[in-house]
Amino acid sequence: MSPVNSPLKNLDYSVVQQCMHCGLCLPTCPTYDTTQLERNSPRGRISLMRAIADGKLEATRTFAEEMYYCLGCLACMTACPAGVNYAELFENARAEAEQSGVLDSPFRRALRGFTLNWLFMDLGRLQWLGAAIRFYQTLGLQRLLRWSGLLNLLPRRLRDLESMTPTVQPHFSADLIAPNTPALRGGRYRVAMLTGCAQDLIFSDVNRDTVEVLARNGCDVVTPPEQHCCGSLHAHNGELDLARRLARKQIDQFPPDAFDAIISNAAGCGSHLKHYATLLEHDPLYRDRAVQWDRKLKDIHEWLAEIGIDAPARTNAPEQTVAYHEACHLCHGQKITAQPRQLLSAIPNLKLKEMAESNWCCGSAGIYNLIQPEMADELLDRKLKHVRATQAETLATGNPGCMLQIQNGARRENLNLRVAHPVTLLAEAYRREATANTNATAPKPGETR
Amino acid sequence: MPVKPEIHKRLAAIVGKDHVLTSAEDLIPYSFDGTAALTQMPGCVVFTTDAAQIPQILRLANETGIAVVTRGSGTGLSGGSLPTPDCIVLCTARMDRILELDRANLTLLCEPGVTTLAIADAATEAGLFYPPDPGSMKISTIGGNVAENSGGLRGLKYGVTRNYVMGMEVVLPDGQVMWLGNKCVKDVAGYSLKDLFIGSEGTLGLITKVLLRLIPRPATKKTMVATFGRMDQAAEAVSAIISAHIIPCTLEFLDRTTIHCVEDYAKIGLPLDCEALLLMETDGHPAVVAEEAAQMEKICRDQGCLEVRVAKDDAEGNRLAGARRSAFSALARMAPTTILEDATVPRSELARMIRFVEGVAVKYNLRIGTFGHMGDGNLHPTFLTDERNTDEMHRVEQAFHEIFDEAIRLGGTITGEHGVGLAKKGFLPKFAGDAQMRVMRELRKALDPKGILNPGKIFD
Ligand SMILES: Cc1cc2nc3c(=O)[nH]c(=O)nc-3n(C[C@H](O)[C@H](O)[C@H](O)COP(=O)(O)OP(=O)(O)OC[C@H]3O[C@@H](n4cnc5c(N)ncnc54)[C@H](O)[C@@H]3O)c2cc1C
Ligand code: SF4
Ligand code: SF4
C-alpha cells in the first residue's frame, strides 16, 4: 500500500511517538481490564499503530479487528500523563483499517454504505427511517411480533438488535421546538442548538428540555428544523472524508461568529464537534472558522456552569435520589466532570448519590454494543451492579447512547430505574416551580378578584 | 531461530491454547517495556495461571535451550522484561490472586501478578499498611517489585520492597521449587537466599509466590509543599531536615520543567514560579506529626524557600502524591523520547550532585528535567530528547557516563531502584569491581548453567 493511502503513515509522527509505554493507562482500560492482553490495551494498540506507521506491520485483519474491539471510550486519555492524543490515533487507525479493505465483505460494505454514506449524511433520510420504525412500533406490530415468538426464528444477533431498537419518539425535535426561542427574561446570550441524530429521533424531548432550560437561563435559542449529522459516527468508523464533509456543512449552517455559543447536549457528538479544527486543518477555506467553531462549541452542562444556573425554587415535590453516570465522551472526551454534578445539585429535592466507577464505559460506545455485544454486555452488567448499589431511583447521564444502553440493561434485569438526561431533571424542576407559582397566584376557590 | 510451532504446541499443552500468543499483532505489544528506545520481538508469549505450570515451562526451556524472559506489567525502566530475540516471554499478569491475609501475624501471601495497588488496598481494608509505593504502583506487579527491589515515595522512613518481603516461592531454572523465608520475625537458618532473589531482575529464578510483611497504619499524616528559587536550596533543606534527625516518610523533589509538565497533566494548582519544589509528608502519632511538620516548615524557611503550603486534608495530600507519581510520564509531554537516570548518592552529597547534573546538561547542550526521591539521595535526571536524532542520543550517552562517574566518585551508585537490566549493563563492571562481578557470575552459573533466564541482562 502506498503511504498516500495510509492515514497512520501520513499522521504527524510525533503523535504516534508520544506514547512512552509507561503502562499507567492500563488499569483504566476496560478491554485490558477484562482480558489482560496487552494487545487489548491502549499501550498495545498504539504499538500496533506505530508498527504500521514504521512500515513494520501491514494493516492486517487482526489489526483492524483490534481497532474495532477498542471502545473508543478515551479513558486512556484521562489516565495518560504524557498527553497522548489517543482520540486522533484511534480515528486514524480505524481509517487505516477501512482503507486497507481487510474487513471488506459485501454485507459490511452494503451496511456501511447504507448507514454512513447514505442514512447519516442526511437528516431527512434518518427521520424517514425513524418514522418507519415509529409506524412499526405504534401499530402494535412490535408487540405482536415479540409476543408471537416469531422473532425467535431470527439469529441471536438480529434478535438482540430488535430488542434494542429504541422506541422512537412520537415527535421529532422540529415538531417540539420553534426555530427561534426567545429568552424568558432579557436575552443575555444568543446560542445555537444542535439537535443531533439519535437525540432527535429517540430523545427529542431532551432537546426540547435543553431549549427550555437555555431560555430560562437568559439565552435566545436558534434551532433550525433541518440540521445535519455532526459526523462523529463517520469519524469513529474510519470515514474521515465524510466526516469532513459534514463538518463543513455544520460550519456553513452555524457561522460561529453569529453566536455566543453553539450547544450540544449529546456527549458523543460534542466530543467530536469540538475537534473540527484538527479535522479541517488542511482545508484553507474552513480552517480558521473551524478554530473559531471549536471555541464556541459547548456542551450544555459546561455552558450552564459558565453562565451560572438560575436555581429553581424549592417546591413540595418528593425527594428523588439520583445517581450520575459519566458518559465517556463527556468525562474523558471533554473533561467535563464537575459541571453535570453542579447542575444536578442545583435542583431542589434532589439527592445526588455517587456510584463506584461512575466514569467507566457502560458498553454503549457509539455502535459498539451492536458490533461487540459480548464485551458491551460485560460492561453493562458491571455498570448496573454499581447503579443498583446506590439504590437510586433515577440515573442521570448526558449522552443518548448511554441512556439507551442503560435503559435496555435495566429492562432486561427488571430493574425499576428511570434514565434521564440531567437537563431533563432541571427542566422538570423549572416546570414544578412554574406550576407552584401559578397555583399560588391563581384565585383560590371562592376568592374574587 | 524463531520458536517452532512444535514448541508452541508443547507450551499450549502446559498452559492451555488461549494462554499462548504467537501472531505478530499479539507479540508486538510485548516487544518493549517501560524503557525508552529499546525494542525486541519475542518468539512467543505465555501466560501462566498456576504456579505448577512454571516448572514444566522452565524444564522445557532447559531441554531446548530457549530463553525465558519473565514479565509482570512491563513497566520496568532498565529493560529487564525486554524480550531477548526469539525468547519465550512468561507473563504473570493472570496470576493475580491474593491468597491469604494473616491478621494475627500481619502478613499477606499472594501470587506474583498482583498489582502493588491491590496489595496496598487489601492492607488498608484490613486496617494495615503496605508502604512501598513506586510511581507505577497502579499497574506494576509485586513480582516485578521484588525482582527489581523497587522503591517508592516513602522509602526514606519505610524502606524499599526488600524490607517487606518475608518469604517467597521460587522456581529454579531447572524446574525445582523452593520456599524461602517464613512468617517468623527472626530466622537465621542458613544463607539468606531470599535476599539473593530480591533484586535478581528475572535471572536466577522465577518468583511464584510472595509473602509480605504489613505494618499498622499510621494514625495521621500531613502533606506539605515547599518551593524554592534555586535547586540546591531544596537539596540543602533536605540535608538540614535529615541532620535535624527528622525522618519524614516522603521528601520528593521536582524541578521547574517537571513541575510544569505535572501541572499541565494533573491541574491541581502546583506553584509554577519556582525552580524547585519539595513534596514533604510526615505520618504517625498526631503530636509527632504536628511537631515534625512545624520543624520542616521552619527549616525550609531558614533555607530561604519562597512558600510553604500545607495540604488541608488527606484527599489533597493524596492528590499531591498522585501528581508526583505521574512525574516521569508527564515529562514525556516535552519531547518524543525521555530517558531517565537513576543515580543515587549519599544524602550529604545531594546538592553537589544536582549542580553537577545541571552542568552536564549545559556542557552537552541537552534538555533535562529532574525529579526524584530526594530524601533517599535518589535523583532521576531525565533527558528530553528524540531517539531519531543520533547526534543528540550520542551526547546523552556521554552525559550519562559523566553522571555515573561522578555518582561513583561521591560514594553513590549507578542505579538506586530501577535495576541494571540492559540499560546500565555497560556501567556495572566499573561500579562493582572484579571480585563482585566474579561472584555474581559464578552464582548465576551455578543456578542457571544453561543461561535460560533473562540472558544478557545485568551482565553477560
Ligand atoms: C511511570 C513509572 C514510574 C515508576 N516509578 C518507580 C518508582 O517510584 N520506584 C521504582 O523503584 N521503580 C519505579 N518504576 C519502575 C518499575 O515500575 C518497577 O521496576 C516495577 O517494579 C516493575 O514492575 P513490573 O511488574 O512492571 O515488572 P516488569 O517490568 O515486567 O519486570 C521487571 C523485572 O522483573 C522481572 N520479573 C517480573 N516478575 C517476576 C517474577 N515473578 N519472578 C522473577 N522475575 C520477575 C522481569 O524479568 C524484569 O527483569 C516506575 C516505572 C514507571 C513506568
Ligand atoms: S498511552 Fe500514555 S499512559 Fe498509556 S503507556 Fe502510553 S504514555 Fe503511558
Ligand atoms: S479508548 Fe477505551 S477501550 Fe480503547 S484503548 Fe482507550 S481506554 Fe481502552
Side-chain angles (χ1 to χ4, degrees):
Chain A
M1 190 169 55
S2 76
V4 199
N5 291 330
S6 165
L8 285 172
K9 287 194 178 108
N10 291 340
L11 190 64
D12 182 352
Y13 196 71
S14 66
V15 179
V16 188
Q17 208 183 8
Q18 191 60 37
C19 171
M20 42 88 78
H21 31 90
C22 64
L24 292 188
C25 53
L26 266 57
T28 46
C29 172
T31 51
Y32 179 77
D33 190 66
T34 308
T35 65
Q36 277 162 330
L37 275 180
E38 280 281 354
R39 199 184 101 182
N40 303 146
S41 82
R43 174 170 76 168
R45 289 181 177 126
I46 295 169
S47 73
L48 293 177
M49 298 175 201
R50 186 168 177 173
I52 289 186
D54 287 343
K56 290 182 183 155
L57 181 75
E58 289 280 304
T60 58
R61 189 179 171 88
T62 312
F63 168 80
E65 282 170 355
E66 185 54 51
M67 296 310 132
Y68 279 96
Y69 191 57
C70 170
L71 294 151
C73 70
L74 308 184
C76 47
M77 277 183 79
T78 299
C80 175
V84 170
N85 188 347
Y86 188 81
E88 195 177 353
L89 284 165
F90 170 70
E91 286 183 358
N92 280 282
R94 281 202 175 170
E96 181 86 32
E98 290 311 322
Q99 292 191 16
S100 67
V102 285
L103 293 173
D104 204 19
S105 74
F107 175 70
R108 196 169 180 277
R109 211 178 314 142
L111 188 68
R112 286 177 63 89
F114 172 66
T115 51
L116 296 175
N117 298 42
W118 190 77
L119 187 61
F120 280 89
M121 288 306 284
D122 181 314
L123 189 73
R125 294 171 193 157
L126 200 64
Q127 290 190 336
W128 171 84
L129 178 79
I133 297 178
R134 185 198 293 159
F135 190 64
Y136 162 76
Q137 287 171 338
T138 45
L139 271 186
L141 274 175
Q142 183 177 43
R143 240 173 307 141
L144 188 70
L145 260 180
R146 282 185 184 168
W147 172 82
S148 71
L150 273 177
L151 284 171
N152 294 338
L153 299 175
L154 292 175
R156 181 167 172 251
R157 272 284 272 286
L158 279 180
R159 210 187 321 142
D160 282 356
L161 250 175
E162 200 282 338
S163 72
M164 279 158 60
T165 319
T167 311
V168 174
Q169 293 271 322
H171 302 285
F172 297 125
S173 300
D175 309 330
L176 300 174
I177 307 169
N180 286 293
T181 311
L184 224 54
R185 300 163 215 153
R188 294 182 287 159
Y189 308 98
R190 181 180 149 83
V191 306
M193 168 69 196
L194 304 180
T195 45
C197 308
Q199 199 78 298
D200 185 35
L201 231 56
I202 311 154
F203 297 113
S204 53
D205 49 347
V206 175
N207 283 338
R208 180 204 51 211
D209 296 342
T210 308
V211 171
E212 276 185 29
V213 165
L214 282 166
R216 165 63 205 262
N217 283 283
C219 301
D220 293 320
V221 191
V222 179
T223 318
E226 296 283 327
Q227 300 196 15
H228 305 283
C229 171
C230 68
S232 78
L233 197 61
H234 305 79
H236 297 160
N237 288 282
E239 294 291 351
L240 290 174
D241 280 334
L242 293 182
R244 284 185 192 104
R245 251 166 63 193
L246 288 165
R248 289 186 201 102
K249 284 192 188 186
Q250 291 278 11
I251 295 178
D252 287 342
Q253 185 171 26
F254 299 99
D257 53 5
F259 300 98
D260 293 310
I262 301 163
I263 306 292
S264 160
N265 61 6
C269 308
S271 165
H272 172 73
L273 283 158
K274 283 181 175 173
H275 293 104
Y276 278 0
T278 322
L279 199 60
L280 297 175
E281 69 185 337
H282 299 301
D283 182 335
L285 264 176
Y286 280 83
R287 192 167 46 207
D288 296 340
R289 268 179 294 163
V291 172
Q292 222 190 349
W293 166 278
D294 286 4
R295 260 189 247 126
K296 290 283 170 75
L297 208 290
K298 302 279 175 187
D299 175 76
I300 178 69
H301 306 93
E302 181 184 22
W303 175 246
L304 289 172
E306 248 178 72
I307 63 173
I309 298 176
D310 186 11
R314 185 171 288 276
T315 61
N316 47 16
E319 181 168 279
Q320 50 176 337
T321 46
V322 176
Y324 175 59
H325 159 69
E326 311 193 53
C328 297
H329 283 250
L330 206 54
C331 66
H332 303 307
Q334 302 182 57
K335 308 277 178 268
I336 294 176
T337 56
Q339 299 92 324
R341 294 180 163 95
Q342 280 164 17
L343 185 156
L344 291 168
S345 306
I347 300 175
N349 311 333
L350 187 149
K351 200 161 134 221
L352 180 61
K353 277 213 148 179
E354 285 298 333
M355 70 169 165
E357 296 186 345
S358 64
N359 63 0
W360 269 68
C361 181
C362 64
S364 157
I367 54 166
Y368 191 86
N369 48 5
L370 304 181
I371 54 176
Q372 303 282 1
E374 275 169 37
M375 183 70 202
D377 270 355
E378 202 159 317
L379 289 170
L380 179 57
D381 287 346
R382 189 168 172 157
K383 180 59 64 183
L384 288 172
K385 194 182 87 199
H386 294 314
V387 176
R388 214 179 278 116
T390 64
Q391 297 187 321
E393 64 231 29
T394 303
L395 180 86
T397 186
N399 190 46
C402 308
M403 289 176 68
L404 268 183
Q405 168 86 342
I406 297 173
Q407 259 172 9
N408 276 325
R411 192 172 56 212
R412 197 178 60 196
E413 302 212 353
N414 290 322
L415 183 68
N416 188 11
L417 182 78
R418 176 180 179 208
V419 180
H421 196 292
V423 160
T424 296
L425 299 178
L426 182 59
E428 286 171 358
Y430 285 136
R431 274 175 227 139
R432 281 197 297 272
E433 173 194 72
T435 324
N437 284 344
T438 26
N439 288 348
T441 50
K444 293 198 181 71
E447 197 180 73
T448 44
R449 283 239 165 136
Chain B
M1 189 179 51
V3 178
K4 292 199 195 85
E6 178 227 322
I7 303 286
H8 295 160
K9 269 204 202 112
R10 288 179 64 186
L11 288 168
I14 300 171
V15 294
K17 201 161 81 305
D18 291 345
H19 299 292
V20 182
L21 309 179
T22 55
S23 74
E25 295 88 343
D26 271 323
L27 299 185
I28 288 170
Y30 291 91
S31 63
F32 50 84
D33 66 358
T35 321
L38 294 177
T39 49
Q40 176 62 53
M41 281 291 273
C44 64
V45 175
V46 174
F47 291 90
T48 47
T49 48
D50 184 343
Q53 298 162 341
I54 292 175
Q56 303 177 54
I57 297 174
L58 294 192
R59 276 198 292 271
L60 180 129
N62 244 312
E63 173 203 323
T64 54
I66 301 174
V68 174
V69 176
T70 313
R71 176 182 168 110
S73 288
T75 65
L77 296 176
S78 53
S81 58
L82 186 85
T84 59
D86 298 321
C87 71
I88 300 171
V89 166
L90 191 156
C91 184
T92 64
R94 290 178 178 166
M95 295 174 76
D96 59 353
R97 284 173 306 170
I98 293 180
L99 303 170
E100 179 199 84
L101 199 148
D102 181 341
R103 288 164 202 254
N105 288 303
L106 311 192
T107 59
L108 183 150
L109 178 71
C110 67
E111 295 186 321
V114 180
T115 63
T116 321
L117 182 64
I119 289 169
D121 285 348
T124 306
E125 214 168 287
L128 294 166
F129 189 31
Y130 177 71
D133 60 341
S136 50
M137 69 183 292
K138 280 205 293 193
I139 186 70
S140 69
T141 65
I142 191 66
N145 290 173
V146 174
E148 297 287 4
N149 188 17
S150 297
L153 274 55
R154 307 191 182 109
L156 179 55
K157 177 168 174 181
Y158 291 106
V160 295
T161 305
R162 180 186 302 280
N163 304 99
Y164 296 86
V165 179
M166 295 189 77
M168 62 174 84
E169 184 184 81
V170 176
V171 183
L172 293 168
D174 65 2
Q176 202 174 12
V177 182
M178 70 180 172
W179 242 111
L180 301 169
N182 46 51
K183 290 184 185 174
C184 302
V185 179
K186 301 163 112 179
D187 174 15
V188 292
Y191 296 143
S192 180
L193 288 184
K194 170 191 90 183
D195 281 296
L196 179 63
F197 285 89
I198 301 172
S200 61
E201 301 189 27
T203 67
L204 307 185
L206 220 145
I207 301 157
T208 46
K209 287 195 185 92
V210 186
L211 179 70
L212 295 166
R213 178 167 80 96
L214 306 177
I215 60 174
R217 276 202 89 71
T220 47
K221 67 174 182 186
K222 200 166 216 155
T223 312
M224 299 186 294
V225 167
T227 51
F228 297 86
R230 286 201 325 271
M231 290 218 273
D232 54 355
Q233 284 176 315
E236 301 288 1
V238 168
S239 302
I241 289 172
I242 308 266
S243 48
H245 300 184
I246 304 172
I247 304 287
C249 81
T250 295
L251 272 184
E252 292 287 315
F253 164 83
L254 305 179
D255 76 354
R256 185 185 193 84
T257 309
T258 317
I259 298 167
H260 280 254
C261 288
V262 169
E263 179 57 23
D264 208 18
Y265 163 62
K267 304 206 169 47
I268 54 167
L270 290 179
L272 297 174
D273 51 349
C274 59
E275 289 306 316
L277 180 154
L278 277 186
L279 175 72
M280 306 179 285
E281 191 168 289
T282 141
D283 65 359
H285 188 279
V288 178
V289 167
E291 191 189 317
E292 282 189 350
Q295 270 180 294
M296 291 200 290
E297 182 171 346
K298 179 169 182 306
I299 291 173
C300 289
R301 293 203 190 282
D302 289 349
Q303 295 297 328
C305 77
L306 301 171
E307 190 197 356
V308 179
R309 257 166 49 183
V310 182
K312 62 176 185 304
D313 52 22
D314 276 6
E316 190 182 345
N318 291 343
R319 271 200 300 280
L320 285 166
R324 154 62 189 93
R325 284 200 191 92
S326 71
F328 170 48
S329 313
L331 273 172
R333 291 171 174 253
M334 299 289 292
T337 311
T338 39
I339 306 189
L340 97 168
E341 263 334 307
D342 188 26
T344 305
V345 294
R347 288 176 289 224
S348 54
E349 306 296 338
L350 259 177
R352 194 181 308 200
M353 191 65 198
I354 283 189
R355 277 192 292 267
F356 185 82
V357 171
E358 280 184 293
V360 167
V362 174
K363 176 170 167 192
Y364 290 102
N365 188 22
L366 293 167
R367 281 197 307 158
I368 192 169
T370 301
F371 64 96
H373 316 291
M374 208 174 224
D376 307 340
N378 184 188
L379 293 176
H380 295 313
T382 304
F383 291 98
L384 310 171
T385 172
D386 185 341
E387 64 198 273
R388 292 175 302 170
N389 182 341
T390 36
D391 173 56
E392 191 168 276
M393 288 297 275
H394 180 64
R395 280 181 280 131
V396 168
E397 188 76 10
Q398 286 175 309
F400 280 164
H401 274 277
E402 289 211 19
I403 291 175
F404 288 141
D405 283 346
E406 179 69 3
I408 295 172
R409 208 180 60 75
L410 294 174
T413 170
I414 55 172
T415 166
E417 57 176 15
H418 295 159
V420 176
L422 276 184
K424 273 145 226 153
K425 183 175 156 184
F427 302 101
L428 185 65
K430 187 167 172 187
F431 171 73
D434 292 344
Q436 222 188 116
M437 290 306 294
R438 180 180 70 92
V439 173
M440 287 198 288
R441 280 207 176 89
E442 286 175 5
L443 256 170
R444 186 163 174 182
K445 187 108 199 140
L447 290 177
D448 185 11
K450 286 209 175 165
I452 57 153
L453 272 188
N454 223 355
K457 307 292 175 66
I458 312 181
F459 52 81
D460 283 317

